[in-house]
């Protein structure tokens, strides 16, 4: 497979459109047939190329966290940065680029940086002022969880925003730093009933993302807590959920 270099007009326009429509609107030049794009909101640079006007289409990424969580096969195609991928169609490329952007605004510390910028000039001397900072942080955390979990509860498939809650695995008050509070791996996007049970440690999740119910939870409640599939977890989620399960045992 040989990359078209330099890019023809059609390839250049399609790469520009694919990047722009998926959040990467900063054009950063072309080298050896790979055109680079950046974003003002998502971390990392993407590189797009093609073998010709009809594809296949190629993507290279430099963001280690995004590469890990994409979990799709890489190619040994020569090119820039840490990982490269090939797609037969533009539709397949678009789908992955959307996920690259969603992860780029979450990982690894993008929510923390957003929070620090927004509160840098705000006072924090009184309890009321500190509550304002907390609310800002919680709003950012929810927004980034909506990106990370693609706007749906991974257990139930519910996607109505009004019914979704940003659930901390390690509670906000127990976190040792703002970095921990705002880390998307310290959160699950759960529907309201599941969030209520999880927050009170009446339910937790095992290493495969399957629910574990407290003995104190009634059969009726267990029946109402319906779910479709386990939660897809990273090792960072699992590490924190181990602590949540300990809390659940203490409270049971």
């Amino acid at each position: 497979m040989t990359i078209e270099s330099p890019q023809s007009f059609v390839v250049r326009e399609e790469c520009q459109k694919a990047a722009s429509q998926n959040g990467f609107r900063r054009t950063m030049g072309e080298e050896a047939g790979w055109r680079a794009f950046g974003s003002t909101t998502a971390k990392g640079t993407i590189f797009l190329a093609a073998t010709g006007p009809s594809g296949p289409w190629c993507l290279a990424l430099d963001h280690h966290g995004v590469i890990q969580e994409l979990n799709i096969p890489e190619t040994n195609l020569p090119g820039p940065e840490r990982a490269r991928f090939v797609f037969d169609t533009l539709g397949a490329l678009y789908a992955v680029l959307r996920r690259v952007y969603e992860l780029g605004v979450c990982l690894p510390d993008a929510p923390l940086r957003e929070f620090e910028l927004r509160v840098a000039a705000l006072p924090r001397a009184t309890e009321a002022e500190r509550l304002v900072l907390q609310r800002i942080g919680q709003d950012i955390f929810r927004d980034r969880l909506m990106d990370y979990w693609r706007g749906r509860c991974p257990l139930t498939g519910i996607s109505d925003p009004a019914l979704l809650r940003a659930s901390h695995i390690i509670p906000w008050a127990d976190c040792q730093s703002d970095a921990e509070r705002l880390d998307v791996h310290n959160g699950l996007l759960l529907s309201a009933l599941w969030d209520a049970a999880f927050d009170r440690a009446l339910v937790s999740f095992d290493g495969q993302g399957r629910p574990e119910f407290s003995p104190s939870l009634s059969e009726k409640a267990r029946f109402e807590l319906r779910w479709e599939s386990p939660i897809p977890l990273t090792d960072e989620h699992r590490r924190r959920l181990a602590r949540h399960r300990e809390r659940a045992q203490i409270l049971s």
Side-chain angles (χ1 to χ4, degrees), residues 134-147:
Q134 179 175 325
R135 174 51 58 192
I136 292 172
Q138 290 173 337
D139 288 345
I140 291 172
F141 185 68
R142 174 185 167 81
D143 288 345
R144 297 292 77 81
L145 281 187
M146 289 288 286
D147 290 316

Side-chain angles (χ1 to χ4, degrees), residues 43-241:
K43 286 198 169 186
T45 303
I46 66 168
F47 301 80
L48 297 178
T51 62
S54 300
W57 302 90
C58 309
L59 167 67
L61 299 174
D62 66 352
H63 193 307
H64 179 67
V66 171
I67 293 165
Q68 276 192 315
E69 298 220 19
L70 277 180
N71 195 29
I72 60 176
E74 299 179 28
T75 179
N76 59 4
L77 178 72
E81 297 308 333
R82 300 184 181 210
R84 288 157 298 284
F85 310 90
V86 176
F87 307 93
D88 290 334
T89 66
L90 278 169
L93 172 65
Y94 271 59
V96 171
L97 281 178
R98 174 47 48 185
R99 187 59 180 153
V100 169
Y101 178 81
E102 290 167 342
L103 292 170
V105 298
C106 301
L107 304 172
D109 58 357
L112 174 64
R113 301 304 168 213
E114 182 181 354
F115 174 72
E116 290 174 337
L117 284 172
R118 287 180 58 179
V119 305
L122 296 181
R124 57 192 74 193
T126 68
E127 181 62 22
E129 289 166 347
R130 288 190 289 272
L131 286 174
V132 170
L133 299 183
Q134 179 175 325
R135 174 51 58 192
I136 292 172
Q138 290 173 337
D139 288 345
I140 291 172
F141 185 68
R142 174 185 167 81
D143 288 345
R144 297 292 77 81
L145 281 187
M146 289 288 286
D147 290 316
Y148 184 88
W149 294 105
R150 314 197 83 170
R152 61 186 292 273
C153 170
L155 270 176
T156 64
I158 289 173
S159 59
D160 303 68
L163 298 179
L164 297 175
R165 303 289 183 269
S167 303
H168 273 87
I169 300 173
I170 298 173
W172 181 278
D174 294 345
C175 291
Q176 298 300 307
S177 65
D178 288 334
E180 181 75 6
R181 293 182 182 100
L182 294 164
D183 190 327
V184 293
H185 293 123
N186 188 33
L188 304 172
L189 189 70
L190 299 177
S191 59
L193 188 59
W194 277 98
D195 168 69
F198 185 73
D199 182 61
R200 291 160 179 78
L202 294 171
V203 64
S204 193
F205 301 96
D206 66 16
Q208 285 70 52
R210 296 173 302 207
E212 292 185 343
F213 297 105
S214 167
S216 63
L217 199 63
S218 70
E219 287 298 324
K220 174 65 174 174
R222 294 186 192 205
F223 176 78
E224 293 299 335
L225 286 167
R226 301 180 183 90
W227 59 288
E228 295 179 349
S229 58
I231 298 175
L233 301 173
T234 67
D235 287 342
E236 288 297 303
H237 291 115
R238 294 185 183 96
R239 176 174 66 82
R240 294 174 173 92
L241 281 168

